[in-house]
Each structure stands twice: as structure tokens, then as C-alpha cells.
Amino acid sequence: MKITRFAVIALLAAGTAQAQTPKQLDQQTAAMMRASFREQGIAKMDRLEQDAAQKACSQAKPPSEAVTKKIEAAELAAVKWPADGQFIGDWKEGEKLAQNGRGMTWTDASVAPAKNGAMCYNCHQIDKKEISFGTIGPSLWNYGKLRGVADPADPASAAIVKYTWGKLWNSKAYAACSNMPRFGHAELLNEQQIRDVMALLLDPKSPVNQ
């Protein structure tokens, strides 16, 4: 008798779940997410809020080609190019940023971009001498050299230089559902920090391009 009762309850519960619309399920999921997190230190609840790109890329199916193009166009339009036209900084500082995995956790004292690292080695190989690096993203070894950048200031290199800045500032401008952090867009790094990472990738003197 107990087994029968449990079976009836399970069937009723299943029927209720099946009757729910996708919108209702999304609302329940959002509520559960909010109930599972709390603010602590610099980590606030607004981190659970998704923008249009994040929402589109969080669905069960990838966004359509039309939606993808719309997202990429909007994200590209939001890229902030260097105000003084200077794209390249100091590769030595860029290497320090690449090695630095700190920032944006509840234990950090400040949300200032200058307090953050770029965390490049979490996802990429950048230098052949490194024995530990992530493989989520492609290898960036010889990034500038392979793309023919002998002088980042040369007009012939302008397209690659601008693309690299845009990719660092807002990766979704080129791949709507990119997993790469949107360093400039999300204020994870400031302009000078991005210049320094640019130098690490593109400066011929950088060990990356040796």
C-alpha cells in the first residue's frame, strides 16, 4: 500500500513538472540560484544578473545565426578603443599580469581593475618555458610572430592589433558565446593593463614572439 501511495505521489509530481512552461522553470531556476548565494565582501548578488549575450548563450540550444550576429554586433559596438590611440604597453608588465590569477573574489579588498590579474595562463599556453597552463583556450605562443607583426606600429599590422585589443576588451564581439573574460567590458582590467597584455602578445621583443 505504501509503495502504491508513493508511486501515485511521484506520478502527480511528474505531471505537475511536465505542465510547467519553460518560462516557469526559468523563474524557478533563477529563484534557486538567488537562494543559493549570498553577498560577501566585494562579491555582490548583482553577479547573478545576466545580460542579453549571457542569457542567449545559457539556453539549452546555442543561439541562432541571426541572434549570434546581433550579439556580436552589439558587443563590438561597445568596445572602447584606446583614447590616445596607443595600443601597446610594456610586455614585462603584461607577463606579470598573465601570471597573476588574483582578483574579483570575495576575499579581495577592492574591485579596482588595477588590483586584478589577467589570469592568462589559466586558459592558454603563452610561453614554451611554462610547465603549467590551461588548455581551454588556444596556445598564444608566437601570437604576433605567426600573424606577421614585426612592428605593431606599422599600418600593415593595424588589423591584427585592433582585433587583439577588441578580443581582450570584449571577446563576445567576435564569438558570441566565448568563454573568455570580457576584460575591458567587465572592468576586470583597465586600459593600461590591456596595453601591457597587448605588448606581451604583439611586441617582437616579448618572449612570446622569440
Side-chain angles (χ1 to χ4, degrees):
M1 182 64 72
K2 288 182 179 179
I3 294 175
T4 303
R5 287 175 181 170
F6 286 137
V8 170
I9 292 171
L11 286 170
L12 288 172
T16 302
Q18 290 174 356
Q20 290 179 312
T21 65
K23 183 177 180 179
Q24 288 173 322
L25 292 173
D26 286 343
Q27 290 172 339
Q28 288 182 14
T29 300
M32 285 190 289
M33 288 284 289
R34 286 198 163 277
S36 299
F37 288 86
R38 59 182 171 81
E39 291 187 356
Q40 186 164 346
I42 66 169
K44 306 300 182 183
M45 293 296 287
D46 60 1
R47 294 189 180 187
L48 296 178
E49 301 296 332
Q50 292 186 313
D51 61 22
Q54 292 168 327
K55 287 178 180 178
C57 295
S58 296
Q59 301 304 309
K61 294 181 180 180
S64 67
E65 183 178 356
V67 171
T68 295
K69 288 182 177 180
K70 184 177 180 180
I71 290 171
E72 292 172 355
E75 300 294 304
L76 183 59
V79 171
K80 182 179 178 183
W81 307 102
D84 59 2
Q86 296 297 315
F87 287 87
I88 306 298
D90 182 344
W91 70 259
K92 294 177 183 178
E93 294 301 315
E95 173 62 20
K96 292 177 185 177
L97 285 164
Q99 295 277 5
N100 187 347
R102 293 298 306 171
M104 302 303 290
T105 68
W106 65 270
T107 58
D108 293 298
S110 172
V111 296
K115 300 295 184 181
N116 299 332
M119 302 171 273
C120 302
Y121 283 103
N122 283 1
C123 300
H124 302 279
Q125 178 191 41
I126 300 179
D127 193 321
K128 288 286 188 180
K129 295 190 296 294
E130 291 297 329
I131 60 173
S132 178
F133 50 84
T135 56
I136 294 173
S139 173
L140 299 177
W141 171 246
N142 277 185
Y143 179 88
K145 189 174 183 179
L146 290 172
R147 290 161 177 78
V149 180
D151 178 4
D154 187 334
S157 302
I160 291 298
V161 170
K162 191 171 182 180
Y163 164 80
T164 305
W165 179 279
K167 187 75 172 179
L168 289 170
W169 190 275
N170 190 341
S171 61
K172 291 185 183 296
Y174 303 95
C177 294
S178 171
N179 291 320
M180 181 173 167
R182 294 180 283 181
F183 290 108
H185 179 84
E187 298 182 348
L188 302 176
L189 297 178
N190 59 34
E191 280 196 28
Q192 185 55 50
Q193 289 172 310
I194 293 179
R195 285 190 187 93
D196 293 337
V197 176
M198 289 280 290
L200 178 66
L201 295 173
L202 293 168
D203 190 330
K205 298 186 183 73
S206 166
V208 169
N209 293 310
Q210 301 306 310

